[in-house]
């Protein structure tokens, strides 16, 4: 048996998009090696039967539901370790994001299992799963094979496509977990919003990313006005240079030491396009850059480049979008 176990994050009755991608991927790959995809959910009364059963539509056959604090890594590690001990899944698959990294790493340490992070593709080979991960500034692909009973795969954010419509209702298995003493030391005080991070940049369809070219913290007002004009699922993101300078919150940082994003549209305002930034946004569907330096590296991987002063271009662009939308 080569089943795949995934973890599904949820908040206020909605299942996380990135986690649903992991369930779809887990189901597709498990089927190729003769197994099933199972999901773990942790939470309280909000985890209704109906919500859990929905995961069947994404390919999960079983949902292991545990009562516990949602949004913290260590309790989820306890639940996943117990489920694996009792049911013997061969792989644990995560959709990426900070929580996925923390849970995957914790589970790897607990189970002494191999772990691969920033995975962009999972393949079946000789009845086992292998994980592909871009390395050396994404110029090469490394392929990880797993030894032992468990392999842990942590995807790049949004690397796995959501495939709904599988038409099944997942079986719910309630799990009784004795949480480790250290897992109960941290409690969730509040899940709140931070300026610039109120829309999750990892889940946004349109990102207006600001860099040092915005000149100062107040320059982000231009980026925010543009994102607001786009409307819908838009958000503002930033480079490390500006979050280090305190112009914008760390939660909005894209890149090697920030978040990996893949929106439908990524618009760079005053960003040079350093490799450490590029690795976090290069899988965006459409890349547009505004930069006053025609030789800025960002133009090398942009679909559309606008050479000029963003202080003149962004207000005009914002006004044009508003006019087109009649707002
Ligand atoms: C270990 C390590 C990890 C790192 N991790 C990250 C990371 O996760 N994310 C990240 O982003 N960076 C990261 N960095 C930093 C990275 O190397 C760059 O320094 C950073 O991305 C540059 O940010 P920037 O593009 O905002 O600034 P700059 O490189 O200074 O670029 C500013 C750009 O704005 C343009 N500009 C200026 N004024 C205007 C104007 N009026 N109109 C239009 N354009 C204008 C300039 O021509 C320039 O191209 C990391 C670095 C290291 C060493």
């Amino acid at each position: 048996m080569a089943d795949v176990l995934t973890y599904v994050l949820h908040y206020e009755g909605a299942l996380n998009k990135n986690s649903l991608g992991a369930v779809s991927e887990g189901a597709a790959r498990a089927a190729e090696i003769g197994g099933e995809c199972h999901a773990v959910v942790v939470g309280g009364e909000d985890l209704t039967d109906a919500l859990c059963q929905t995961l069947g539509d994404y390919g999960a056959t079983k949902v292991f539901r545990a009562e516990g604090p949602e949004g913290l890594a260590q309790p989820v590690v306890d639940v996943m370790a117990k489920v694996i001990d009792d049911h013997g899944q061969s792989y644990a698959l995560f959709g990426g994001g900070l929580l996925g990294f923390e849970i995957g790493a914790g589970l790897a340490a607990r189970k002494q299992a191999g772990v691969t992070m920033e995975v962009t593709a999972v393949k079946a080979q000789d009845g086992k799963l292998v994980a592909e991960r871009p390395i050396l500034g994404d110029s090469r692909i490394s392929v990880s094979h797993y030894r032992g009973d468990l392999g842990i795969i942590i995807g790049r954010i949004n690397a796995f496509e959501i495939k709904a419509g599988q038409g099944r209702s997942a079986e719910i298995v309630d799990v009784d977990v004795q949480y480790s003493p250290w897992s109960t030391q941290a409690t969730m005080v509040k899940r709140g919003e931070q300026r610039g991070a109120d829309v999750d940049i990892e889940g946004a369809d349109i990102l207006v990313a600001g860099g040092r070219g915005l000149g100062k913290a107040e320059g982000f007002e231009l980026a925010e006005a543009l994102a607001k004009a786009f409307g819908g699922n838009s958000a503002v993101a930033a480079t490390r240079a500006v979050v280090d300078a305190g112009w914008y919150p760390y939660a909005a940082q894209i890149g090697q030491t920030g978040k990996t994003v893949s929106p439908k549209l990524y618009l760079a305002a005053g960003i040079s396009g350093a490799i450490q930034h590029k690795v976090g946004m290069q899988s965006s569907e459409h890349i547009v850059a505004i930069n006053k330096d025609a030789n800025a590296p960002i133009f090398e991987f942009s679909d559309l480049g606008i050479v000029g002063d963003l202080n003149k271009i962004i207000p005009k662009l914002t006004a044009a979008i508003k006019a087109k939308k009649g707002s």
Side-chain angles (χ1 to χ4, degrees):
M1 208 173 46
D3 296 332
V4 176
L5 187 65
T6 57
Y7 163 65
V8 177
L9 178 70
H10 61 98
Y11 185 48
E12 293 184 337
L15 301 168
N16 176 272
K17 186 174 136 188
N18 199 31
S19 303
L20 293 177
V23 173
S24 302
E25 181 72 14
R29 301 291 80 82
E32 289 176 347
I33 55 171
E36 296 178 1
C37 178
H38 302 157
V40 158
V41 286
V42 179
E45 283 171 2
D46 52 336
L47 273 178
T48 59
D49 286 1
L51 187 67
C52 296
Q53 282 160 351
T54 317
L55 289 168
D57 203 38
Y58 299 90
T61 53
K62 282 186 191 155
V63 175
F64 293 95
R65 175 172 64 184
E67 204 179 313
E70 170 63 337
L72 295 173
Q74 281 304 320
V76 179
V77 173
D78 285 349
V79 177
M80 293 189 83
K82 176 166 172 53
V83 170
I84 291 165
D85 287 346
D86 292 350
H87 300 272
Q89 288 88 354
S90 305
Y91 300 94
L93 177 72
F94 300 88
L98 293 179
L99 196 62
F101 281 129
E102 212 179 325
I103 299 167
L107 190 63
R110 183 83 60 89
K111 301 292 299 170
Q112 295 292 294
V115 57
T116 316
M117 301 207 175
E118 291 280 328
V119 170
T120 51
V122 183
K123 292 187 176 155
Q125 222 175 71
D126 304 325
K128 294 185 171 179
L129 295 186
V130 298
E132 292 188 356
R133 171 180 192 262
I135 53 166
L136 301 174
D138 287 1
S139 61
R140 296 279 184 280
I141 296 287
S142 99
V143 181
S144 299
H145 298 248
Y146 296 93
R147 287 200 197 112
D149 298 332
L150 180 67
I152 298 178
I153 301 165
I154 307 176
R156 221 176 231 189
I157 195 100
N158 299 331
F160 305 132
E161 196 187 332
I162 300 174
K163 289 184 192 132
Q166 317 242 349
R168 143 178 342 128
S169 173
E171 177 196 345
I172 300 170
V173 182
D174 283 311
V175 188
D176 195 14
V177 183
Q178 188 74 42
Y179 287 107
S180 319
W182 58 85
S183 297
T184 49
Q185 296 298 304
T187 50
M188 180 71 75
V189 178
K190 189 173 160 198
R191 275 171 95 148
E193 296 179 351
Q194 192 182 15
R195 180 176 163 262
D198 50 342
V199 178
D200 177 9
I201 66 163
E202 291 158 304
D205 288 329
I206 299 176
L207 278 180
V208 179
R212 210 155 17 199
L214 287 172
K216 53 185 181 226
E218 291 69 29
F220 268 90
E221 286 164 15
L222 282 179
E224 285 176 343
L226 179 55
K228 197 168 164 214
F230 277 124
N233 190 10
S234 326
V236 173
T239 64
R240 176 163 161 180
V242 299
V243 300
D244 280 350
W247 296 2
Y248 221 61
Y250 275 102
Q253 184 195 323
I254 293 175
Q256 183 185 319
T257 45
K259 292 177 178 164
T260 304
V261 295
S262 52
K264 291 190 178 129
L265 172 65
Y266 161 95
L267 190 148
I271 292 178
S272 58
I275 181 70
Q276 296 89 351
H277 185 78
K278 183 185 172 194
V279 294
M281 45 61 69
Q282 63 191 349
S283 53
S284 304
E285 228 171 291
H286 302 285
I287 299 173
V288 176
I290 305 172
N291 198 303
K292 67 178 185 185
D293 175 6
N295 295 315
I298 193 136
F299 289 134
E300 288 165 21
F301 49 92
S302 295
D303 299 299
L304 177 70
I306 305 165
V307 180
D309 182 355
L310 61 85
N311 295 301
K312 291 185 184 147
I313 296 165
I314 295 185
K316 284 187 183 159
L317 186 56
T318 306
I321 291 166
K322 279 188 183 167
K324 189 158 174 61
K325 293 178 116 185
S327 55

